[in-house]
Amino acid sequence: MAPVDPHSFTDGDHPVTAKAALAFYLDFAASTIHASALLTLSAPHSGDLLLDTRALTVHSASTTSDPPAPVPFSLADAADPVLGSALTLSLPPDTTSFLLTFSTSPSASALQWLSPPQTASSQPFVFSQCQSIHARSVFPCHDTPAARITFSLLLNVPTQLSAVAAARHVSRRDPLPSDHRGACDDALWCAPGRIVEEFEMEQSVPPYLFAFAAGGIGFRDLGPRTRVYAEGGDKVLDEAAREFAGVEEMVKVGESLFGPYEWERFDLLVLPPSFPYGGMENPRMVFLTPTVIKGDAAGAQVVAHELAHSWTGNLITNKTNEDFWLNEGFTTYAERRIVEVVHGEERAALNMGIGWRGLNRMMERFKDNMEFTKLKPSMAGIDPDDVYSEVPYEKGFQFLWRIERQIGRPAFDEFLKNYIATFKFKSIDTETFLEFLKTNVPGIENQIDLQLWVKGTGIPPDAMEPDSAIYKKICSLAAEFKSGKLPSEDEVADWSGQEWELYLENLPTDVEASQVTALDERYKLSESRDYEVKVAFLQLAIPTGCRCYFNEVEKCLKQVGRMKYLRPLYSSLARCSGEEKMLAHRIFSEAHEFYHPIARSVAESILSKHG
């Protein structure tokens, strides 16, 4: 066996899935999908073929011949804790396609099922989150970004619900018995009160970008190729439409910087607050947390990041999770270029400053395992969710910014467009990038220590802290806090959430409770609507023993399931002794059903680590 990816059973000597025709019956009462998958291979194959699965029940496998013949199959007896279970098919000679029927588990790691009381619309809701290696819990696949697929998707849902997907919407129509290919009985598929939403994805994507949602979803148009969808009615839709009003302009800026937008539409879906990430760059339809709606258009910067993925990540994809920086480092760089054009150099500098602080914080987090401070770490046997961090984002950004400073922005812009045009709709590894860099920027390896950047631990000496007047001013004000000096109202008069976030991130950690409460009494940071500010402040307050903030911490952990907030708050509580640690365990016991399975697992590991 020639493994192509440490996080997949995919055999590099065998063809991979090139196309999937999927039919899903969504059973909200059982939190289960009954499904069929007609899979087409990239080349004919005979004999054993391995697919990735996690907690799937496989009912049947058959050829697509007329008449169809059963295909022998087996699932591994014991699931690997990271990879799941290999599905082994014994294919007849020269097989190009085959049909599987299967059901998902109610505990599928990619899916969150919300009951009507958990949603703003009082309708059931389900959404998928397949990054990094969770597509295998939705359908059997070669769940590696090295294997790109096109797909069609039929979602059979109750008629009162709407469904969306990261694909072109074809139709909303009555179910037909011929649709499901054995996913369930005809009577169930075609039952009264059911509707089929049909989608088609004609551009190849890695499996982690497969995405759908269904529930009480409405929408507002933002521009000729941009629309915002949301669960929660007119109020949420109106707020989202105001927050993201400039998205169409952002797409145009992205095209001017990086070349044509290849995905036709750039729509946004605002999910319920349990969504575990800030945003997910699913092509054609970005998934977003409602915490990015801040009322001042600042949330559009999260959108800038997901938009940038349309070129770096979706169009060119990392081949494995060990090359994750190729997605996130490039996208962080591209995001800041978009922000610079749309919001100005000072705003981009603030963005970089927050990132610089975050990168330094990651060095502390991984001080006992510096492998994960490398741009290309070794990840065999490691769950990507367990070591997800800002390193690939911010160290990757620093590497690209270092190259830009060396060769100049005009030359780097030309290189970037050439890189995107050369590798679009392909998945590549770090070594391929480095060879392309050395070929197109001759002598760069003599000017920058490329191996130190990629394989070295820590922050390279030629990384650079951002240099701008506002960044320096905020850092100076933060340094004065230690001596008891609070920023004056004049000094913060024009601050938005990002300025406050940078200020709080740069405060010393060994502050007194009285200083923390004095800051909050003046500026009400614990009550901020901006969760970046609120969580940064609460994270500062918890170690001081300020129990007056326990109520805000509890509300935060019970109202929002974004891992960016769960990680620091649970970690801060769990690292304390006594009442704080007890509070963390009580909150988790009461809130864990609200969290997406990925977020629930992360919170559990934090509490387990700290006892």
Side-chain angles (χ1 to χ4, degrees):
M1 180 176 175
V4 299
D5 185 332
H7 294 115
S8 173
F9 291 111
T10 301
D11 190 331
D13 291 333
H14 296 164
V16 295
T17 308
K19 183 172 183 179
L22 303 166
F24 288 1
Y25 179 93
L26 274 56
D27 185 342
F28 283 89
S31 299
T32 299
I33 299 174
H34 304 295
S36 66
L38 174 60
L39 302 181
T40 302
L41 298 175
S42 57
H45 184 65
S46 309
D48 285 354
L49 184 79
L50 298 178
L51 294 173
D52 295 304
T53 76
R54 178 183 290 132
L56 292 177
T57 300
V58 180
H59 304 301
S60 68
S62 60
T63 65
T64 54
S65 57
D66 189 12
V71 171
F73 68 91
S74 62
L75 270 174
D77 292 335
D80 182 277
V82 175
L83 302 183
S85 303
L87 172 63
T88 303
L89 301 163
S90 297
L91 298 177
D94 297 324
T95 297
T96 56
S97 61
F98 52 90
L99 178 67
L100 302 173
T101 64
F102 56 95
S103 298
T104 63
S105 164
S107 61
S109 59
L111 302 174
Q112 183 166 23
W113 301 84
L114 298 171
S115 63
Q118 292 177 299
T119 67
S121 63
S122 298
Q123 299 278 9
F125 197 96
V126 64
F127 66 89
S128 66
Q129 172 54 42
C130 290
Q131 195 180 49
S132 296
I133 55 172
H134 300 284
R136 66 194 66 184
S137 73
V138 182
F139 65 102
C141 58
H142 292 109
D143 195 6
T144 167
R148 302 176 73 102
I149 61 169
T150 61
F151 65 86
S152 61
L153 174 64
L154 301 179
L155 292 175
N156 185 308
V157 301
T159 52
Q160 74 270 23
L161 304 184
S162 298
V164 296
R168 177 174 59 85
H169 187 252
V170 177
S171 66
R172 178 180 169 94
R173 58 174 174 76
D174 291 334
L176 301 172
S178 58
D179 285 338
H180 62 82
R181 302 189 188 93
C184 58
D185 294 336
D186 287 352
L188 191 62
W189 184 267
C190 298
R194 304 290 295 194
I195 199 80
V196 164
E197 301 265 24
E198 183 176 359
F199 302 90
E200 184 80 29
M201 189 59 179
E202 289 135 341
Q203 295 132 315
S204 65
V205 295
Y208 73 80
L209 290 178
F210 174 80
F212 70 91
I217 300 171
F219 67 86
R220 294 277 188 277
D221 284 318
L222 302 175
R225 54 183 166 176
T226 53
R227 175 181 284 178
V228 62
Y229 293 80
E231 188 273 339
D234 290 344
K235 182 175 183 294
V236 174
L237 278 170
D238 291 343
E239 290 177 346
R242 285 193 295 271
E243 191 81 20
F244 307 130
V247 164
E248 179 68 36
E249 183 60 31
M250 277 189 179
V251 178
K252 293 176 182 176
V253 169
E255 288 183 307
S256 70
L257 291 169
F258 313 122
Y261 181 78
E262 301 273 3
W263 306 96
E264 296 176 34
R265 293 195 61 82
F266 183 72
D267 294 329
L268 313 169
L269 172 64
V270 180
L271 284 158
S274 59
F275 184 60
Y277 293 101
M280 182 61 208
E281 64 269 17
N282 304 312
R284 299 182 67 103
M285 181 166 290
V286 164
F287 284 16
L288 295 168
T289 170
T291 62
V292 301
I293 302 175
K294 303 178 182 182
D296 59 1
Q301 291 192 53
V302 173
V303 175
H305 183 89
E306 309 313 332
L307 170 63
H309 268 301
S310 302
W311 292 271
T312 53
N314 298 1
L315 205 54
I316 305 175
T317 305
N318 52 232
K319 197 170 188 177
T320 75
N321 277 289
E322 293 184 336
D323 306 291
F324 190 49
W325 81 272
L326 287 174
N327 278 21
E328 297 301 351
F330 268 94
T331 298
T332 302
Y333 175 87
E335 167 205 344
R336 287 169 185 163
R337 291 293 302 277
I338 293 172
V339 168
E340 184 179 303
V341 174
V342 176
H343 298 291
E345 291 184 8
E346 289 291 347
R347 184 61 49 187
L350 276 178
N351 200 314
M352 291 162 60
I354 292 168
W356 176 256
R357 177 64 183 152
L359 180 59
N360 280 272
R361 191 169 56 246
M362 290 304 102
M363 298 303 116
E364 176 65 21
R365 174 184 166 187
F366 292 120
K367 64 184 178 183
D368 296 327
N369 195 341
M370 293 296 282
E371 178 70 21
F372 302 116
T373 68
K374 294 179 180 179
L375 271 188
K376 180 157 184 169
S378 176
M379 293 184 64
I382 303 295
D383 188 329
D385 291 334
D386 290 344
V387 294
Y388 179 85
S389 80
E390 293 168 75
V391 172
Y393 295 74
E394 297 300 340
K395 190 172 181 179
F397 164 78
Q398 284 283 340
F399 183 30
L400 299 174
W401 192 31
R402 173 69 184 89
I403 299 169
E404 183 207 280
R405 295 198 305 274
Q406 184 66 42
I407 67 176
R409 177 167 283 187
F412 189 73
D413 281 354
E414 184 179 345
F415 167 82
L416 195 55
K417 284 185 177 179
N418 188 16
Y419 167 72
I420 292 168
T422 300
F423 295 111
K424 69 178 184 178
F425 294 111
K426 295 178 181 176
S427 299
I428 68 169
D429 56 21
T430 300
E431 291 69 30
T432 301
F433 166 74
L434 291 176
E435 285 306 309
F436 184 81
L437 174 65
K438 289 187 283 188
T439 299
N440 288 271
V441 187
I444 190 68
E445 68 271 26
N446 301 320
Q447 300 162 328
I448 300 173
D449 190 337
L450 304 180
Q451 292 305 308
L452 176 67
W453 272 97
V454 171
K455 296 184 177 178
T457 58
I459 302 175
D462 51 344
M464 195 169 92
E465 188 173 6
D467 182 17
S468 79
I470 190 168
Y471 175 75
K472 288 180 177 176
K473 177 63 175 175
I474 291 171
C475 290
S476 174
L477 289 172
E480 292 174 351
F481 184 81
K482 181 73 173 174
S483 61
K485 184 179 183 300
L486 301 181
S488 70
E489 293 187 9
D490 288 343
E491 288 170 320
V492 305
D494 58 351
W495 282 15
S496 65
Q498 274 202 306
E499 284 86 351
W500 276 113
E501 184 185 356
L502 182 62
Y503 176 79
L504 291 166
E505 293 280 3
N506 279 279
L507 291 181
T509 54
D510 57 337
V511 295
E512 301 293 329
S514 58
Q515 294 175 289
V516 171
T517 53
L519 180 65
D520 193 46
E521 284 171 4
R522 182 176 293 185
Y523 294 114
K524 310 299 182 190
L525 301 177
S526 66
E527 302 169 18
S528 174
R529 184 183 174 187
D530 187 330
Y531 276 87
E532 307 291 334
V533 176
K534 185 187 190 80
V535 171
F537 176 81
L538 294 175
Q539 191 181 358
L540 181 75
I542 289 169
T544 68
C546 292
R547 289 176 173 77
C548 57
Y549 296 114
F550 280 7
N551 188 48
E552 286 296 337
V553 171
E554 183 166 351
K555 282 197 298 185
C556 200
L557 288 171
K558 287 184 172 180
Q559 291 174 355
V560 178
R562 186 177 175 184
M563 289 191 292
K564 185 177 182 180
Y565 308 143
L566 301 188
R567 270 196 181 95
L569 291 181
Y570 275 120
S571 295
S572 295
L573 289 171
R575 276 195 291 261
C576 297
S577 58
E579 194 172 341
E580 290 86 355
K581 186 170 291 190
M582 291 170 58
L583 178 67
H585 285 274
R586 178 179 65 77
I587 292 173
F588 181 74
S589 71
E590 296 171 0
H592 72 279
E593 288 297 326
F594 162 73
Y595 300 145
H596 185 279
I598 299 172
R600 190 181 308 143
S601 176
V602 166
E604 283 175 337
S605 67
I606 290 170
L607 296 179
S608 175
K609 176 182 176 182
H610 295 287

